[in-house]
């Protein structure tokens, strides 16, 4: 129990005192996860719309496949990205291994299935009556698509929040392709892993609490946006 | 008409989201260029992979800024067990490695991946266990101790357990070496029952696991002391006097002929700096304030069987000529 309490006290201390190293790590975590989420959303929301609004053979199978990839372990993605970005790998020449860029690449791959799948679900959830009304009022195909995306925006934002949550909370990718380099690629989850292995359980717990705090703030902000 | 108004507010909402998301992009890119992603930094990045024991004890936190200033480089330190560090080296993902497994170091160099190996420090391994020592290994040699642990563990896994790193690290390699000396085939040991636990983790978590299970464990003295100070372990060193426990750390530069992108000049400077009097003195005193004794010893004080020959660490590495 004392460990839990000390962790909480330490978290509050670190947040109030704005410990520079902790703030830097937290800021980096946030920046990397936001970058991944923005890039992922920019790619996935239009692609999901295209999948949703078009009829083609194997569409169901494709959606099932996307949903299957929700559960890909982060270490597997980490491993593949590592092999690609390693100096001897196909993209080794870019020199991205052990940089924040490598983490962003991994996280985008991680959240792509979630963003695609949940956006497709969101679009599918739009009430048919709205579509019928729009069609009867003479809406064109494009106008209908825009209407559906607008109607589904709550669920789409929920998908984005979900993607962000998965990105900021993952450990495997950051550890394997980021390398947990102090002052460069150390993020909250890798710092927790390191501090635990060093025996600083309280600091590790404090970092965990800060991670949850960041997630809370981001969710409040996103919900505010959603409610406008 | 009312529909349109409702849509109007929705459009405003959608526009707001887009504006905010777009607004984030320059912020992200701005940070990309300035501090978070200093890929175009004029400073050279010099990357090493180091064994976890040197990292977990905080030694690199201490040494990193000194070398960064000296060589005007940005030093990236990836910590990994010897097995992974060697793999990074083989792939050319780092410029130098710090490891502690002589046999694999020699293979690494013979295979053309590394050059300019220098030993720069050492300490010792130990076998820790429950203070009441249920296997009765007090006073044994390392090999005798493992043999007793095996015999007692096979008999009664509830009272005698051994937690192995099981991760191909330098510590794990040393453990295997001692099993060999004790006359065991390692594969037989691994499969001899539930008394033998393979953690697959770094030194610290393995120690914690042994502590929780009240099991025996082999650790390097520095990680043991560091962890004991922070977590107040209930297991304690039982066997720690045996020359086979000698644990020598080595720095190896990545061969630029195999990996032309490796920063060989900085790696050479780094290795020479590690064996310099300045750093040797830091290594010999590091940890004294916290633990009442140093965690590592300067390589020159090594004078027992198994120590590297003097010229192995007193000769600076030559500059690299293409």
């Amino acid at each position: 129990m004392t460990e839990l309490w000390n962790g909480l006290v330490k978290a509050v201390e670190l947040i109030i005192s704005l410990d520079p190293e902790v703030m830097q790590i937290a800021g980096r975590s946030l920046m990397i996860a936001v970058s991944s989420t923005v890039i992922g959303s920019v790619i996935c929301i239009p692609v999901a719309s295209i999948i949703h609004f078009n009829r083609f053979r194997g569409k169901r199978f494709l959606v099932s496949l996307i949903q299957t990839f929700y559960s890909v372990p982060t270490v597997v993605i980490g491993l593949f990205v590592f092999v690609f970005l390693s100096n001897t790998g196909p993209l080794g020449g870019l020199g991205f291994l052990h940089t924040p860029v490598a983490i962003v690449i991994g996280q985008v791959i991680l959240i792509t299935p979630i963003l695609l799948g949940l956006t497709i679900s969101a679009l599918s959830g739009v009430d048919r009556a709205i579509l019928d009304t729009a069609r009867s009022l003479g809406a064109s195909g494009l106008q209908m698509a825009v209407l559906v995306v607008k109607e589904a925006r709550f669920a789409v934002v929920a998908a984005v929040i979900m993607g962000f949550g998965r990105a900021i909370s993952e450990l495997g990718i950051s550890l394997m392709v980021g390398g947990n380099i102090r002052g460069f690629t150390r993020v909250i989850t890798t710092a927790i892993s390191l501090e635990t292995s060093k025996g600083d359980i309280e600091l590790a717990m404090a970092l965990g609490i800060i991670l949850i705090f960041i997630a809370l703030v981001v969710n409040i902000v996103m919900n505010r946006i959603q409610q406008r | 008409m009312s529909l349109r108004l409702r849509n109007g507010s929705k459009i405003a909402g959608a526009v707001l989201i887009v504006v905010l998301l777009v607004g984030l992009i320059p912020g992200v890119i701005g940070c990309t260029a300035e501090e978070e992603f200093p890929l175009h930094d004029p400073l050279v990045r010099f990357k090493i992979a180091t064994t976890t024991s040197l990292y977990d004890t905080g030694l690199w936190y201490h040494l990193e800024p000194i070398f960064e200033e000296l060589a005007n480089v940005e030093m990236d330190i990836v910590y990994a067990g010897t097995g992974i560090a060697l793999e990074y080296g083989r792939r050319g993902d780092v410029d130098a490695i710090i490891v502690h497994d002589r046999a694999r170091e020699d293979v690494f160099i013979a295979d053309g991946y590394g050059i300019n190996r220098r030993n720069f420090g050492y300490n010792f391994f130990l076998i820790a266990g429950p203070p009441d020592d249920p296997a009765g290994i007090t006073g044994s040699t390392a090999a005798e101790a493992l043999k007793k642990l095996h015999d007692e563990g096979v008999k009664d896994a509830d009272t005698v357990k051994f937690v192995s790193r099981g991760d191909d690290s330098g510590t794990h390699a040393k453990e295997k070496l001692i099993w060999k000396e004790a006359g065991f085939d390692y594969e037989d040991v691994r499969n001899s029952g539930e008394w033998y636990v393979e953690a697959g983790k770094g030194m610290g978590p393995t120690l914690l696991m042994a502590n929780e299970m009240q099991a025996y464990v082999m650790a390097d003295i520095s990680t043991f002391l560091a962890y004991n100070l922070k977590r107040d372990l209930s297991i304690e060193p039982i066997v720690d006097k045996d020359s086979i426990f000698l644990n020598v750390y080595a720095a190896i530069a990545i061969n630029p002929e195999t990996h032309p992108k490796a920063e060989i000049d900085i790696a050479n400077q780094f290795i020479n700096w590690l064996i310099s009097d300045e750093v040797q003195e830091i290594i010999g005193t590091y940890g004294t304030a916290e633990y009442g004794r140093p965690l590592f010893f300067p390589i020159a004080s090594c004078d027992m069987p198994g120590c590297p020959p003097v010229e192995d660490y007193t000769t600076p590495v030559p500059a690299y000529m293409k």
Side-chain angles (χ1 to χ4, degrees):
Chain A
M1 268 321 274
T2 49
E3 242 166 27
L4 285 172
W5 178 247
N6 291 347
L8 196 66
V9 170
K10 187 134 193 182
V12 173
E13 266 175 27
L14 289 172
I15 294 171
I16 292 174
S17 67
L18 299 175
D19 180 90
E21 185 153 5
V22 170
M23 289 304 124
Q24 198 198 25
I25 292 170
R28 188 179 301 119
S29 268
L30 185 65
M31 202 60 73
I32 289 174
V34 166
S35 308
S36 309
T37 312
V38 170
I39 294 169
S41 302
V42 166
I43 299 168
C44 293
I45 295 175
V47 171
S49 309
I50 292 168
I51 294 172
H52 175 74
F53 291 114
N54 287 288
R55 282 197 195 142
F56 53 91
R57 270 175 73 96
K59 181 171 166 177
R60 276 224 179 130
F61 176 73
L62 180 66
V63 173
S64 301
L65 196 68
I66 289 169
Q67 287 170 346
T68 305
F69 279 98
Y70 287 5
S71 41
V72 171
T74 55
V75 282
V76 173
I77 295 174
L79 183 62
F80 276 95
V81 177
F82 170 76
V83 169
F84 269 84
L85 295 184
S86 170
N87 189 44
T88 49
L91 302 175
L94 298 171
F96 281 165
L97 187 70
H98 299 145
T99 67
V101 177
I103 306 180
V104 171
I105 293 171
Q107 287 185 352
V108 169
I109 295 171
L110 173 72
I111 64 174
T112 291
I114 297 171
L115 290 170
L116 280 179
L118 294 184
T119 305
I120 293 170
S121 301
L123 299 177
S124 314
V126 172
D127 195 344
R128 289 216 69 89
I130 295 170
L131 294 183
D132 294 340
T133 312
R135 194 178 291 125
S136 68
L137 292 172
S140 70
L142 186 65
Q143 281 174 321
M144 298 257 295
V146 171
L147 180 66
V148 170
V149 173
K150 270 191 305 200
E151 284 295 326
R153 73 178 195 285
F154 290 108
V156 171
V157 171
V160 173
I161 291 176
M162 184 82 190
F164 172 80
R166 184 107 209 251
I168 200 163
S169 61
E170 66 79 23
L171 168 68
I173 294 166
S174 299
L175 206 53
M176 290 184 83
V177 300
N180 194 16
I181 295 165
R182 183 163 77 138
F184 189 43
T185 56
R186 181 159 304 164
V187 293
I188 294 182
T189 51
T190 59
I192 290 173
S193 155
L194 173 68
E195 296 306 334
T196 308
S197 75
K198 281 163 67 184
D200 281 330
I201 308 278
E202 281 93 1
L203 179 57
M205 286 184 48
L207 287 163
I209 292 166
I210 292 170
L211 180 74
I212 294 167
F213 182 71
I214 291 176
L216 179 73
V217 171
V218 168
N219 271 297
I220 290 173
V221 171
M222 293 294 274
N223 276 319
R224 277 285 158 89
I225 295 170
Q226 219 176 18
Q227 278 156 16
R228 292 266 167 136
Chain B
M1 198 58 196
S2 69
L3 186 78
R4 211 176 251 177
L5 269 178
R6 209 162 59 97
N7 274 351
S9 71
K10 280 187 180 161
I11 290 168
V15 167
L16 190 73
I17 293 171
V18 170
V19 166
L20 280 171
L21 284 178
V22 170
L24 276 173
I25 293 168
V28 171
I29 293 170
C31 284
T32 311
E34 279 157 28
E35 39 186 64
E36 292 295 324
F37 296 62
L39 290 175
H40 305 292
D41 201 303
L43 286 174
V44 179
R45 296 200 87 93
F46 171 60
K47 192 152 78 178
I48 68 165
T50 176
T51 172
T52 49
S53 46
L54 290 164
Y55 198 84
D56 287 352
T57 50
L59 179 62
W60 284 117
Y61 285 3
H62 191 74
L63 292 177
E64 182 185 350
I66 307 175
F67 186 71
E68 284 185 340
E69 192 171 334
L70 177 79
N72 194 29
V73 291
E74 178 65 38
M75 200 167 160
D76 287 343
I77 304 175
V78 182
Y79 62 93
T82 293
I84 306 171
L86 289 167
E87 181 60 24
Y88 281 142
R90 272 190 288 271
R91 291 170 162 271
D93 288 331
V94 291
D95 304 309
I97 57 172
I98 309 289
V99 288
H100 59 143
D101 180 3
R102 185 60 200 257
R104 276 187 290 174
E105 288 163 25
D106 290 341
V107 173
F108 183 80
I109 291 167
D111 288 347
Y113 295 113
I115 52 170
N116 298 343
R117 176 185 177 282
R118 291 291 182 276
N119 292 116
F120 65 92
Y122 70 99
N123 62 10
F124 297 93
F125 289 109
L126 54 81
I127 296 175
D132 61 344
D133 188 17
I137 61 168
T138 308
S140 311
T141 65
E144 284 166 10
L146 285 194
K147 186 173 184 333
K148 274 185 202 163
L149 289 175
H150 172 269
D151 296 347
E152 297 297 317
V154 169
K155 246 187 272 170
D156 182 6
D158 289 334
T159 46
V160 175
K161 276 192 163 61
F162 181 83
V163 182
S164 166
R165 286 281 292 275
D167 64 349
D168 258 348
S169 58
T171 308
H172 190 207
K174 179 68 89 173
E175 186 205 318
K176 288 189 215 168
L177 193 72
I178 301 175
W179 280 117
K180 201 172 159 193
E181 197 183 88
F184 285 91
D185 180 66
Y186 183 66
E187 282 306 307
D188 293 344
V189 174
R190 281 182 75 187
N191 299 316
S192 62
E194 57 180 277
W195 73 279
Y196 190 82
V197 181
E198 290 178 69
K201 292 183 183 137
M203 195 68 257
T206 304
L207 270 174
L208 189 64
M209 197 168 160
N211 192 51
E212 296 287 334
M213 298 170 76
Q214 285 297 296
Y216 290 88
V217 62
M218 193 176 117
D220 63 282
I221 181 86
S222 56
T223 312
F224 185 87
L225 287 174
Y227 223 78
N228 195 30
L229 186 78
K230 284 183 223 158
R231 307 304 319 157
D232 195 17
L233 301 173
S234 65
I235 50 172
E236 52 187 48
I238 298 180
V239 175
D240 57 0
K241 285 180 185 58
D242 191 322
S243 60
I244 201 168
F245 278 147
L246 179 69
N247 178 27
V248 185
Y249 294 97
I252 305 174
I254 301 309
N255 189 349
E257 268 147 39
T258 311
H259 292 296
K261 276 194 290 181
E263 298 282 357
I264 182 65
D265 294 331
I266 305 170
N268 283 341
Q269 187 185 0
F270 174 69
I271 292 170
N272 285 335
W273 175 74
L274 280 178
I275 57 173
S276 72
D277 292 344
E278 182 200 353
V279 176
Q280 287 294 302
E281 195 182 319
I282 294 173
I283 289 173
T285 52
Y286 181 78
T288 319
E290 269 178 289
Y291 306 101
R293 52 156 291 174
L295 297 178
F296 305 97
F297 303 104
I299 192 66
S301 68
C302 195
D303 59 355
M304 60 181 68
C307 283
V310 175
E311 62 276 11
D312 239 31
Y313 48 83
T314 48
T315 325
V317 301
Y320 175 67
M321 304 283 184
K322 274 203 174 150

